[in-house]
Amino acid sequence: MRVAKVIVDVPTNQTNHTFDYLIPEEMENLVQKGMRVSLPFGPRKVMGFVLDLVDHSDFDKLKPIEEVMDLTPVLTEELLHLGKWISEQTVSFYIQTFQAMLPQILKAKYKKEIESLTEYELPNELQKLFAGRAVIDYDEYIERNGDYNLLLKEVRNGHVQINYIVKSKETKKTKLFIAPNNETYLLEEALEDISNRAKKQKQIIDYFIQSPDPIEQKELLTDLKTTTATINQLVEKKLLKKIEKKVYRDPFQDNEFERTQPLPLNKQQQQAIEPIWQSIEENSNEVFLLHGVTGSGKTEVYLQAIEKVLNQGKEAIVLVPEIALTPQMVQRFKGRFGSEVAVLHSALSPGEKFDEWTKIHKKEVKVVVGARSAIFAPFENIGIIIIDEEHETSYKQDEQPRYHAREVAKKRGAYHNCPVILGSATPMLESYARAQKGVYHLLDMPERMNEATMPPVDIVDMRDELYAGNRTMFSRKLLDAIKERIDQNQQVVLFLNRRGYSTFVMCRECGDVMKCPNCDIALTFHKSSHQLKCHYCDYQIPMVKECDACGSKTIRYFGTGTQKVEEALKEHIPEASLIRMDVDTTRRKGSHKKLLDQFGNGKANILLGTQMIAKGLDFENVTLVGVLAVDAMLHLPDFRSAEKTFQLMTQVSGRAGRHRLPGEVIIQTYTPEHYSVQLASRYDYQRFFLQEMETRKSFHYPPYYYLTLITVSHPNQWKVQEVTKTICKLLFKYLSDQATILGPTPSPMVRINNRYRYQCMVKYKDEPNQREIIRKIQTHYYDDIQRHDLTIQVDFEPYSLM
Ligand code: ADP
Ligand code: ZN
Ligand code: ZN
């Protein structure tokens, strides 16, 4: 008896384990670990992943597997183990993790077809079923008792392939090919029979006698100056046939990638790459933290490290934050490694993503460059994993499974015995602290390439503007600087922090911000209750009327959108042309690239945008970067706000003066004395690190303590409060007395879609039982979760505290 242990697609606490299914005899050779199967589950038919194959079961009356959905495993053994580990670490369901590792298309059951890839070599049985067609329905094959084993064999031989049919139009990419329907001598006979008046027909047949390979119809039409009608006549006579061939959807097809050669490395690059090369040669698993200022040549180091890996016949994974995955970035990898590179990012359609994934799965490529989920690339011989801009929060998935790509990378690196490179100009405090302790191997690249220097940063005190009677959002200095650039035909990038969800309260006179005395977090203004609240603990006070620090009554809450800035700017500098980039203007696919191209081609003087313009952009003509209100980030209700501000300022500054023309950066703020603003303006990461570590230490934040955030939501506010209160009590009871439990408290976004949200935060050093306790809590609320619309979200080491 053969038994498959299967994780079924029923994501509940009760079904989060393997179920035994009988493998029918005819499927015995087919079923492998890591394949998807479809099975009966209660009254339903569901999908499942085969985790293991065994010879007996402790249960009797096993139900049989109904269908094998894959012909080759979609998850390797390594990925199966990895998936289990991630589920346990994040307290999520196994099925969620396995699905998160695969392209979306494979999550649903799609229609499949079988495509013949050869002309004459198919075994008789298959030929009969194909009956002259190039493509047949997979369901038809099964209905007509087509043999699984035979199909599998032919897939492995490369004679046929299985295509997943995606319904949406955009993803369907086929090309129409014309091919001879008979062998050449038959065509020659037919040529005799065609009337001499049908000259065009003769010409086409003659063409295929000379070269019998299929040719794209479009090409045939132009080459022979013929018409589709003529071709159709020959198809009707069964002399030619039409073949729909699937072509890979290549989102970067239009760009011709000029091949680049490795650059001779300078001294600091050489020093950084040596230990990486050594680790590659020795197959040793080591984590490197490459701390290099923007423009120091990190990417060239990545490229040459990858080159070494490819020479060993191994594969490379490169992760880049979603918004930095610009055509400019892709070009650098495609330029060096050409068609060895697959690109995965979320702007691709499901079909395009699937195509790229297929190239990796079939080992047709050796390098994958992608956003977060590319860490699951099904390579089996990985030689290096690189995470660029490792401090980026987008590497953490914000829904279950809430994994961090960095942790997954380290796990895969250990499995493959290969180096993992974390690169950044402003590493996460946690990472830098690990490097200081020697857990990571620190590599430093403090100098910019080509003797370029980081542009000088001017901090403008907006309080002075107010004293001088300027009540607008632009300082006089910034306005003058913009006008000057426009006069000189140079370009400007203006940066506005994304509109905050919550608003903080600041005195415009002295810049003082109302903070929680317990948590050192900016208090949030709640309009409805007219209160100021801390979102970590439960501290709250009525909205203040005057500033605590100076007594002034100019108390304001903050929050401005890009549109408002655009309007205001038009008033001040009517002659300026501006391109605005925010969620509204970049909603449509491709608009992001289009707007950047326009700016690159000099169609506008100013590029105004949110976070999305802070990274990776490299425009020669940009000589001024302005940040309108750095305070919006500095006072987010988030213990990382100072760190995020430092990172952002550094990143934005890196956009100016990257080339011939010197650059300048102007930062507007009401708190110019803040250490984050001061140190970022001097590019002093070291000092910032030391100072920020002090703060973290005194308020018990990472990297000194770990955090767990539990968010409860439900339509009824009373219910949410009750549940959160109980959870806090249970945690207090079962966790060690080393742990601090904060809450229950309303979440910063207390109500979303008519659901109330409350949270509880745990600060701890070491709580080995924590995950088990949380599982128990979830099981305790099983009924409420399944039937009464309650959700309990658990986020270990959270990045977003909203
Ligand atoms: P980073 O990734 O650290 O921001 P880049 O890799 O973008 O830095 O390098 C900045 C610029 O320097 C790029 O234009 C790159 O082509 C160039 N560059 C990098 N390494 C070298 C080198 N060894 N010799 C010459 N130019 C280089
Ligand atoms: Zn004040
Ligand atoms: Zn507090």
Side-chain angles (χ1 to χ4, degrees), residues 11-150:
T12 70
N13 254 348
Q14 247 69 338
T15 51
N16 193 37
H17 57 81
T18 57
F19 287 84
D20 287 1
Y21 279 85
L22 186 72
I23 304 176
E25 214 168 300
E26 73 272 15
M27 292 184 197
E28 273 184 12
N29 293 327
L30 280 183
V31 182
Q32 293 174 35
K33 287 186 213 177
M35 282 183 176
R36 296 166 310 141
V37 288
S38 100
L39 355 111
F41 191 82
R44 288 183 289 163
K45 197 170 138 181
V46 302
M47 190 272 277
F49 287 92
V50 177
L51 252 61
D52 210 353
L53 300 168
V54 293
D55 286 325
H56 89 286
S57 171
D58 296 335
F59 304 91
D60 34 58
K61 291 222 194 108
L62 293 187
K63 286 187 193 157
I65 286 175
E66 270 180 21
E67 193 198 334
V68 186
M69 296 168 69
D70 300 306
L71 291 159
T72 51
V74 289
L75 291 173
T76 60
E77 291 240 2
E78 184 217 358
L79 291 178
L80 288 175
H81 283 289
L82 188 68
K84 280 201 263 185
W85 177 77
I86 292 171
S87 303
E88 277 144 26
Q89 286 299 306
T90 59
V91 187
S92 52
F93 304 125
Y94 295 118
I95 189 72
Q96 284 175 321
T97 309
F98 292 140
Q99 293 193 327
M101 296 170 121
L102 292 173
Q104 203 186 337
I105 286 189
L106 292 176
K107 287 172 202 169
K109 214 189 148 194
Y110 279 84
K111 212 167 120 55
K112 281 175 289 187
E113 62 178 26
I114 308 167
E115 180 183 350
S116 161
L117 298 174
T118 64
E119 294 293 302
Y120 303 109
E121 290 164 49
L122 290 184
N124 279 338
E125 194 187 335
L126 275 178
Q127 276 202 33
K128 238 190 290 169
L129 289 169
F130 271 89
R133 293 168 295 176
V135 175
I136 61 171
D137 229 40
Y138 183 85
D139 290 340
E140 178 189 338
Y141 185 82
I142 300 305
E143 273 159 28
R144 293 174 61 191
N145 288 322
D147 184 345
Y148 264 132
N149 286 307
L150 180 64

Side-chain angles (χ1 to χ4, degrees), residues 332-372:
R332 297 184 72 174
F333 287 87
K334 286 233 178 189
R336 192 64 57 86
F337 304 116
S339 57
E340 303 259 51
V341 182
V343 179
L344 283 172
H345 66 98
S346 66
L348 302 184
S349 68
E352 287 169 336
K353 265 189 229 161
F354 178 66
D355 284 353
E356 294 296 294
W357 181 86
T358 304
K359 288 188 208 165
I360 302 164
H361 189 231
K362 288 186 172 170
K363 313 285 174 337
E364 290 174 0
V365 291
K366 293 254 174 212
V367 181
V368 54
V369 180
R372 181 180 61 232

Side-chain angles (χ1 to χ4, degrees), residues 553-579:
K553 290 196 167 57
T554 56
I555 298 234
R556 291 283 173 88
Y557 44 93
F558 269 71
T560 314
T562 44
Q563 217 163 343
K564 256 180 161 170
V565 176
E566 182 176 4
E567 284 160 18
L569 200 71
K570 284 229 168 89
E571 254 169 58
H572 290 291
I573 317 178
E575 71 271 24
S577 56
L578 178 144
I579 292 176

Side-chain angles (χ1 to χ4, degrees), residues 5 9 112 122 127 140 155 210 260 270-271 281 326 387 451 515 524 543 559 563 568 610-611 749 761:
K5 293 198 167 288
D9 186 7
K112 281 175 289 187
L122 290 184
Q127 276 202 33
E140 178 189 338
V155 168
Q210 308 298 328
T260 60
Q270 195 70 39
Q271 277 170 354
E281 266 161 29
T326 56
I387 304 187
E451 280 146 40
K515 282 189 170 182
T524 303
M543 173 64 184
Q563 217 163 343
T610 53
Q611 252 89 338
M749 295 159 78
M761 193 192 284

Side-chain angles (χ1 to χ4, degrees), residues 440-476:
Y440 298 163
H441 185 150
L442 185 64
L443 306 168
D444 250 320
M445 302 215 299
E447 307 289 333
R448 256 186 161 182
M449 265 294 145
N450 311 324
E451 280 146 40
T453 48
M454 294 301 286
V457 179
D458 268 326
I459 301 173
V460 177
D461 188 339
M462 291 303 276
R463 295 170 302 190
D464 292 345
E465 294 296 308
L466 195 67
Y467 289 133
N470 174 10
R471 296 183 168 270
T472 72
M473 55 181 102
F474 304 103
S475 61
R476 292 156 296 173

Side-chain angles (χ1 to χ4, degrees), residues 506-524:
M506 183 165 70
C507 168
R508 283 188 70 172
E509 201 88 18
C510 76
D512 192 59
V513 169
M514 297 296 298
K515 282 189 170 182
C516 171
N518 311 322
C519 308
D520 193 42
I521 294 295
L523 294 173
T524 303

